[in-house]
Amino acid sequence: MPIDAPAQRLEAHGSALADEVYELLAQAILDGRLAAGERLRDVEIAELYGISRTPVREAIQRLERQGLVEVAAHRYTRVSTPDESAQAEATEFIGRLTGTAASLAMLRASDEQIAQMLTELDAVIDACGRDDDRELMTRMVAFHRSATIASGNRLLINVIREVNLPVQRVVGGWRPFGGDHERCVDSFRRLRAAVAARDEVLVEQIVREQHPLA
C-alpha cells in the first residue's frame, strides 16, 4: 500500500484518531499515492499506523460517504474512480455552497476581511491574466476560504470544510469558463467590484455563474 507511515505512531484517541486516519488516507487519495481502484485493507492500515482497526474502519466509512472510497460487502474496499458527471455535479454543488457563503460574508465581514478578500481577488485576476491555471485555482480557494470564514455561519463552515478534500479530487482538472481566460478576468473583475460594494446579491450571482449547473 503506497502510503507512508507517520514519523511517530499516531497518539490521538477516539474520534480524534479516526479523524487523523481519515486525513492521512484522504490526502493520499488526493495526491495520487492511493490510485483509483486500489484496495484498502483495514488490517494493513492499522498495522502501518500501529493502531486498532476500529478508527481505520470509521475513517473508511467517512471516505465512503464522501465518494472517495467504494465498498462491496465481503468483496472489496477500494479507491473510487471519478467520472465526468461527478465533476460537473461537484462543481455545481460547491458553487451553490460558496455562493451562499460569499453572500453572507458581504453582510457580516469586517473591513479588514473585505480588504483581505479584495487582495485575494487581485491575485486571482493576475493569475487568470497570465494563464497560470495552477495559481488561479490556489488563489480561488484562498478567496473562498476567507469568504466562508467571514460568513460567520458555523454550520456552513463545517459543511464546506467536510467536503473540501473530496471536491478537490473530483474537480482537479476543472477551470472556470473552460479555461477561457478573457471571460475569467472579466468575471473576477466584476466579482471584485461587487465585493468592494458589499453587494451580496451580485456576489452570489457571479460566484454561481463561475460554477455552472451540471
Side-chain angles (χ1 to χ4, degrees):
M1 181 176 298
I3 54 176
D4 301 324
Q8 296 179 344
R9 292 305 191 213
L10 304 182
E11 300 293 340
H13 299 282
S15 60
L17 181 55
D19 289 344
E20 195 165 348
V21 175
Y22 162 81
E23 292 287 348
L24 289 166
L25 294 177
Q27 191 58 53
I29 293 171
L30 190 63
D31 63 27
R33 283 176 292 135
L34 284 173
E38 180 137 10
R39 299 292 181 96
L40 298 178
R41 297 176 174 84
D42 55 7
V43 174
E44 294 180 5
I45 297 170
E47 290 178 352
L48 179 65
Y49 294 136
I51 58 178
S52 73
R53 294 165 64 184
T54 299
V56 176
R57 288 172 175 169
E58 291 177 6
I60 289 174
Q61 288 171 357
R62 183 176 173 188
L63 292 167
E64 182 187 11
R65 289 195 300 270
Q66 295 180 338
L68 290 171
V69 165
E70 55 187 8
V71 177
H74 309 300
R75 293 177 57 200
Y76 59 75
T77 298
R78 66 190 181 191
V79 178
S80 63
T81 302
D83 57 28
E84 290 184 6
S85 63
Q87 183 183 81
E89 290 169 0
T91 302
E92 171 185 276
F93 176 69
I94 201 65
R96 297 285 144 168
L97 282 181
T98 55
T100 298
S103 177
L104 289 173
M106 297 305 97
L107 299 173
R108 298 171 178 168
S110 66
D111 290 343
E112 291 76 14
Q113 287 173 315
I114 291 290
Q116 177 65 29
M117 284 185 270
L118 293 176
T119 297
E120 287 161 349
L121 286 170
D122 286 337
V124 171
I125 294 166
D126 178 68
C128 200
R130 291 186 288 106
D131 294 358
D132 188 339
D133 287 339
R134 177 173 293 185
E135 183 69 8
L136 169 63
M137 296 307 294
T138 298
R139 297 301 184 177
M140 280 185 64
V141 169
F143 164 73
H144 285 297
R145 182 183 297 116
S146 294
T148 299
I149 293 170
S151 76
N153 186 299
R154 289 175 294 178
L155 181 58
L156 186 57
I157 291 169
N158 287 336
V159 169
I160 292 178
R161 182 183 295 122
E162 179 71 11
V163 302
N164 179 52
L165 287 176
V167 166
Q168 280 189 56
R169 182 190 186 222
V170 174
V171 304
W174 174 83
R175 296 294 179 269
F177 306 107
D180 184 331
H181 296 284
E182 185 174 337
R183 289 183 65 195
C184 179
V185 168
D186 176 68
S187 179
F188 279 100
R189 282 177 176 165
R190 290 191 298 113
L191 180 58
R192 189 191 190 285
V195 170
R198 290 181 179 263
D199 187 333
E200 71 272 15
V201 174
L202 186 55
V203 164
E204 182 169 9
Q205 176 185 325
I206 294 172
V207 170
R208 291 188 173 188
E209 287 173 358
Q210 294 168 349
H211 302 78
L213 297 179

mmCIF file of all heavy atoms in Angstrom, residues 3-31:
data_model
loop_
_atom_site.group_PDB
_atom_site.id
_atom_site.type_symbol
_atom_site.label_atom_id
_atom_site.label_comp_id
_atom_site.label_asym_id
_atom_site.label_seq_id
_atom_site.Cartn_x
_atom_site.Cartn_y
_atom_site.Cartn_z
ATOM 1 N N ILE A 3 1.198 4.288 0.909
ATOM 2 C CA ILE A 3 1.057 5.441 1.786
ATOM 3 C C ILE A 3 2.117 5.324 2.850
ATOM 4 O O ILE A 3 2.540 4.230 3.205
ATOM 5 C CB ILE A 3 -0.348 5.521 2.420
ATOM 6 C CG1 ILE A 3 -0.720 4.220 3.139
ATOM 7 C CG2 ILE A 3 -1.389 5.853 1.374
ATOM 8 C CD1 ILE A 3 -2.050 4.289 3.855
ATOM 9 N N ASP A 4 2.565 6.455 3.316
ATOM 10 C CA ASP A 4 3.671 6.462 4.258
ATOM 11 C C ASP A 4 3.174 6.434 5.691
ATOM 12 O O ASP A 4 2.203 7.101 6.031
ATOM 13 C CB ASP A 4 4.527 7.720 4.057
ATOM 14 C CG ASP A 4 5.073 7.791 2.640
ATOM 15 O OD1 ASP A 4 5.402 6.721 2.102
ATOM 16 O OD2 ASP A 4 5.141 8.894 2.089
ATOM 17 N N ALA A 5 3.854 5.681 6.527
ATOM 18 C CA ALA A 5 3.580 5.741 7.956
ATOM 19 C C ALA A 5 4.125 7.049 8.507
ATOM 20 O O ALA A 5 5.116 7.575 8.012
ATOM 21 C CB ALA A 5 4.240 4.561 8.668
ATOM 22 N N PRO A 6 3.473 7.635 9.497
ATOM 23 C CA PRO A 6 3.989 8.865 10.100
ATOM 24 C C PRO A 6 5.312 8.604 10.801
ATOM 25 O O PRO A 6 5.652 7.465 11.108
ATOM 26 C CB PRO A 6 2.881 9.253 11.091
ATOM 27 C CG PRO A 6 2.192 7.971 11.403
ATOM 28 C CD PRO A 6 2.256 7.144 10.159
ATOM 29 N N ALA A 7 6.061 9.684 11.031
ATOM 30 C CA ALA A 7 7.352 9.544 11.696
ATOM 31 C C ALA A 7 7.191 8.884 13.060
ATOM 32 O O ALA A 7 8.048 8.136 13.517
ATOM 33 C CB ALA A 7 8.006 10.917 11.846
ATOM 34 N N GLN A 8 6.071 9.163 13.722
ATOM 35 C CA GLN A 8 5.765 8.531 15.004
ATOM 36 C C GLN A 8 4.380 7.907 14.915
ATOM 37 O O GLN A 8 3.552 8.313 14.117
ATOM 38 C CB GLN A 8 5.780 9.578 16.130
ATOM 39 C CG GLN A 8 7.147 10.212 16.337
ATOM 40 C CD GLN A 8 7.092 11.247 17.452
ATOM 41 O OE1 GLN A 8 6.026 11.683 17.855
ATOM 42 N NE2 GLN A 8 8.241 11.608 17.957
ATOM 43 N N ARG A 9 4.144 6.892 15.708
ATOM 44 C CA ARG A 9 2.828 6.282 15.714
ATOM 45 C C ARG A 9 1.781 7.297 16.156
ATOM 46 O O ARG A 9 2.065 8.239 16.907
ATOM 47 C CB ARG A 9 2.817 5.069 16.666
ATOM 48 C CG ARG A 9 3.667 3.908 16.177
ATOM 49 C CD ARG A 9 3.264 3.480 14.793
ATOM 50 N NE ARG A 9 3.885 2.230 14.408
ATOM 51 C CZ ARG A 9 4.242 1.927 13.179
ATOM 52 N NH1 ARG A 9 4.064 2.791 12.216
ATOM 53 N NH2 ARG A 9 4.771 0.752 12.887
ATOM 54 N N LEU A 10 0.569 7.128 15.654
ATOM 55 C CA LEU A 10 -0.491 8.071 15.971
ATOM 56 C C LEU A 10 -0.828 8.007 17.457
ATOM 57 O O LEU A 10 -0.993 6.930 18.014
ATOM 58 C CB LEU A 10 -1.731 7.750 15.134
ATOM 59 C CG LEU A 10 -1.504 7.732 13.609
ATOM 60 C CD1 LEU A 10 -2.822 7.449 12.893
ATOM 61 C CD2 LEU A 10 -0.905 9.031 13.121
ATOM 62 N N GLU A 11 -0.949 9.181 18.064
ATOM 63 C CA GLU A 11 -1.124 9.239 19.512
ATOM 64 C C GLU A 11 -2.538 9.628 19.925
ATOM 65 O O GLU A 11 -2.877 9.574 21.096
ATOM 66 C CB GLU A 11 -0.133 10.256 20.115
ATOM 67 C CG GLU A 11 1.338 9.919 19.854
ATOM 68 C CD GLU A 11 1.779 8.658 20.578
ATOM 69 O OE1 GLU A 11 1.100 8.260 21.553
ATOM 70 O OE2 GLU A 11 2.790 8.063 20.171
ATOM 71 N N ALA A 12 -3.358 10.085 18.979
ATOM 72 C CA ALA A 12 -4.710 10.535 19.327
ATOM 73 C C ALA A 12 -5.562 9.356 19.788
ATOM 74 O O ALA A 12 -5.176 8.195 19.649
ATOM 75 C CB ALA A 12 -5.351 11.232 18.134
ATOM 76 N N HIS A 13 -6.733 9.677 20.312
ATOM 77 C CA HIS A 13 -7.632 8.636 20.807
ATOM 78 C C HIS A 13 -9.050 8.921 20.322
ATOM 79 O O HIS A 13 -9.402 10.041 19.984
ATOM 80 C CB HIS A 13 -7.613 8.587 22.338
ATOM 81 C CG HIS A 13 -6.268 8.265 22.914
ATOM 82 N ND1 HIS A 13 -5.754 6.997 22.952
ATOM 83 C CD2 HIS A 13 -5.314 9.089 23.441
ATOM 84 C CE1 HIS A 13 -4.535 7.035 23.498
ATOM 85 N NE2 HIS A 13 -4.255 8.288 23.797
ATOM 86 N N GLY A 14 -9.889 7.863 20.302
ATOM 87 C CA GLY A 14 -11.297 8.008 19.986
ATOM 88 C C GLY A 14 -11.534 8.614 18.618
ATOM 89 O O GLY A 14 -10.880 8.286 17.638
ATOM 90 N N SER A 15 -12.510 9.542 18.543
ATOM 91 C CA SER A 15 -12.881 10.140 17.264
ATOM 92 C C SER A 15 -11.738 10.950 16.667
ATOM 93 O O SER A 15 -11.616 11.050 15.441
ATOM 94 C CB SER A 15 -14.116 11.027 17.438
ATOM 95 O OG SER A 15 -13.864 12.082 18.359
ATOM 96 N N ALA A 16 -10.881 11.524 17.511
ATOM 97 C CA ALA A 16 -9.738 12.292 17.008
ATOM 98 C C ALA A 16 -8.786 11.394 16.230
ATOM 99 O O ALA A 16 -8.196 11.808 15.230
ATOM 100 C CB ALA A 16 -9.010 12.978 18.163
ATOM 101 N N LEU A 17 -8.640 10.153 16.670
ATOM 102 C CA LEU A 17 -7.774 9.211 15.971
ATOM 103 C C LEU A 17 -8.371 8.852 14.613
ATOM 104 O O LEU A 17 -7.665 8.801 13.601
ATOM 105 C CB LEU A 17 -7.572 7.959 16.818
ATOM 106 C CG LEU A 17 -6.656 6.872 16.228
ATOM 107 C CD1 LEU A 17 -5.297 7.435 15.869
ATOM 108 C CD2 LEU A 17 -6.517 5.719 17.219
ATOM 109 N N ALA A 18 -9.669 8.608 14.569
ATOM 110 C CA ALA A 18 -10.337 8.318 13.298
ATOM 111 C C ALA A 18 -10.203 9.502 12.343
ATOM 112 O O ALA A 18 -9.999 9.321 11.136
ATOM 113 C CB ALA A 18 -11.808 7.987 13.538
ATOM 114 N N ASP A 19 -10.300 10.732 12.883
ATOM 115 C CA ASP A 19 -10.136 11.930 12.055
ATOM 116 C C ASP A 19 -8.735 11.987 11.465
ATOM 117 O O ASP A 19 -8.548 12.351 10.294
ATOM 118 C CB ASP A 19 -10.389 13.195 12.877
ATOM 119 C CG ASP A 19 -11.856 13.379 13.236
ATOM 120 O OD1 ASP A 19 -12.705 12.712 12.616
ATOM 121 O OD2 ASP A 19 -12.141 14.180 14.148
ATOM 122 N N GLU A 20 -7.741 11.628 12.272
ATOM 123 C CA GLU A 20 -6.361 11.681 11.812
ATOM 124 C C GLU A 20 -6.111 10.649 10.712
ATOM 125 O O GLU A 20 -5.453 10.936 9.708
ATOM 126 C CB GLU A 20 -5.409 11.457 12.988
ATOM 127 C CG GLU A 20 -3.976 11.841 12.677
ATOM 128 C CD GLU A 20 -3.114 11.953 13.927
ATOM 129 O OE1 GLU A 20 -3.677 11.952 15.037
ATOM 130 O OE2 GLU A 20 -1.885 12.040 13.781
ATOM 131 N N VAL A 21 -6.660 9.457 10.887
ATOM 132 C CA VAL A 21 -6.525 8.426 9.855
ATOM 133 C C VAL A 21 -7.235 8.872 8.578
ATOM 134 O O VAL A 21 -6.711 8.700 7.467
ATOM 135 C CB VAL A 21 -7.103 7.081 10.342
ATOM 136 C CG1 VAL A 21 -7.063 6.043 9.217
ATOM 137 C CG2 VAL A 21 -6.326 6.574 11.547
ATOM 138 N N TYR A 22 -8.405 9.464 8.728
ATOM 139 C CA TYR A 22 -9.141 9.980 7.574
ATOM 140 C C TYR A 22 -8.292 10.982 6.797
ATOM 141 O O TYR A 22 -8.193 10.906 5.562
ATOM 142 C CB TYR A 22 -10.449 10.629 8.022
ATOM 143 C CG TYR A 22 -11.043 11.546 6.978
ATOM 144 C CD1 TYR A 22 -11.786 11.030 5.921
ATOM 145 C CD2 TYR A 22 -10.821 12.923 7.035
ATOM 146 C CE1 TYR A 22 -12.304 11.875 4.944
ATOM 147 C CE2 TYR A 22 -11.333 13.764 6.064
ATOM 148 C CZ TYR A 22 -12.075 13.241 5.011
ATOM 149 O OH TYR A 22 -12.567 14.083 4.044
ATOM 150 N N GLU A 23 -7.702 11.935 7.503
ATOM 151 C CA GLU A 23 -6.898 12.960 6.837
ATOM 152 C C GLU A 23 -5.733 12.330 6.085
ATOM 153 O O GLU A 23 -5.424 12.727 4.945
ATOM 154 C CB GLU A 23 -6.381 13.972 7.872
ATOM 155 C CG GLU A 23 -7.446 14.834 8.512
ATOM 156 C CD GLU A 23 -7.993 15.892 7.578
ATOM 157 O OE1 GLU A 23 -7.392 16.119 6.500
ATOM 158 O OE2 GLU A 23 -9.035 16.489 7.919
ATOM 159 N N LEU A 24 -5.072 11.361 6.687
ATOM 160 C CA LEU A 24 -3.933 10.707 6.038
ATOM 161 C C LEU A 24 -4.362 9.960 4.775
ATOM 162 O O LEU A 24 -3.720 10.059 3.728
ATOM 163 C CB LEU A 24 -3.263 9.743 7.017
ATOM 164 C CG LEU A 24 -2.485 10.388 8.177
ATOM 165 C CD1 LEU A 24 -2.177 9.351 9.245
ATOM 166 C CD2 LEU A 24 -1.199 11.042 7.668
ATOM 167 N N LEU A 25 -5.458 9.218 4.862
ATOM 168 C CA LEU A 25 -5.934 8.454 3.714
ATOM 169 C C LEU A 25 -6.473 9.377 2.619
ATOM 170 O O LEU A 25 -6.200 9.178 1.431
ATOM 171 C CB LEU A 25 -7.002 7.454 4.142
ATOM 172 C CG LEU A 25 -6.556 6.323 5.072
ATOM 173 C CD1 LEU A 25 -7.747 5.453 5.465
ATOM 174 C CD2 LEU A 25 -5.476 5.471 4.418
ATOM 175 N N ALA A 26 -7.258 10.374 3.026
ATOM 176 C CA ALA A 26 -7.830 11.298 2.046
ATOM 177 C C ALA A 26 -6.733 12.039 1.297
ATOM 178 O O ALA A 26 -6.807 12.218 0.072
ATOM 179 C CB ALA A 26 -8.762 12.298 2.740
ATOM 180 N N GLN A 27 -5.696 12.468 2.009
ATOM 181 C CA GLN A 27 -4.596 13.178 1.359
ATOM 182 C C GLN A 27 -3.847 12.260 0.401
ATOM 183 O O GLN A 27 -3.427 12.679 -0.692
ATOM 184 C CB GLN A 27 -3.635 13.752 2.406
ATOM 185 C CG GLN A 27 -2.604 14.721 1.821
ATOM 186 C CD GLN A 27 -3.244 15.896 1.116
ATOM 187 O OE1 GLN A 27 -4.087 16.595 1.678
ATOM 188 N NE2 GLN A 27 -2.875 16.122 -0.141
ATOM 189 N N ALA A 28 -3.698 10.993 0.782
ATOM 190 C CA ALA A 28 -3.020 10.032 -0.105
ATOM 191 C C ALA A 28 -3.839 9.795 -1.369
ATOM 192 O O ALA A 28 -3.275 9.631 -2.461
ATOM 193 C CB ALA A 28 -2.795 8.714 0.636
ATOM 194 N N ILE A 29 -5.162 9.797 -1.258
ATOM 195 C CA ILE A 29 -6.019 9.661 -2.437
ATOM 196 C C ILE A 29 -5.919 10.918 -3.290
ATOM 197 O O ILE A 29 -5.806 10.851 -4.517
ATOM 198 C CB ILE A 29 -7.478 9.409 -2.009
ATOM 199 C CG1 ILE A 29 -7.609 8.037 -1.333
ATOM 200 C CG2 ILE A 29 -8.421 9.494 -3.216
ATOM 201 C CD1 ILE A 29 -8.960 7.783 -0.694
ATOM 202 N N LEU A 30 -5.920 12.075 -2.629
ATOM 203 C CA LEU A 30 -5.897 13.347 -3.350
ATOM 204 C C LEU A 30 -4.616 13.528 -4.146
ATOM 205 O O LEU A 30 -4.641 13.977 -5.296
ATOM 206 C CB LEU A 30 -6.063 14.501 -2.355
ATOM 207 C CG LEU A 30 -6.292 15.892 -2.933
ATOM 208 C CD1 LEU A 30 -7.593 15.951 -3.711
ATOM 209 C CD2 LEU A 30 -6.289 16.936 -1.816
ATOM 210 N N ASP A 31 -3.477 13.157 -3.569
ATOM 211 C CA ASP A 31 -2.210 13.375 -4.283
ATOM 212 C C ASP A 31 -1.776 12.180 -5.133
ATOM 213 O O ASP A 31 -0.709 12.191 -5.742
ATOM 214 C CB ASP A 31 -1.087 13.774 -3.315
ATOM 215 C CG ASP A 31 -0.743 12.702 -2.289
ATOM 216 O OD1 ASP A 31 -0.960 11.504 -2.574
ATOM 217 O OD2 ASP A 31 -0.242 13.059 -1.205
#
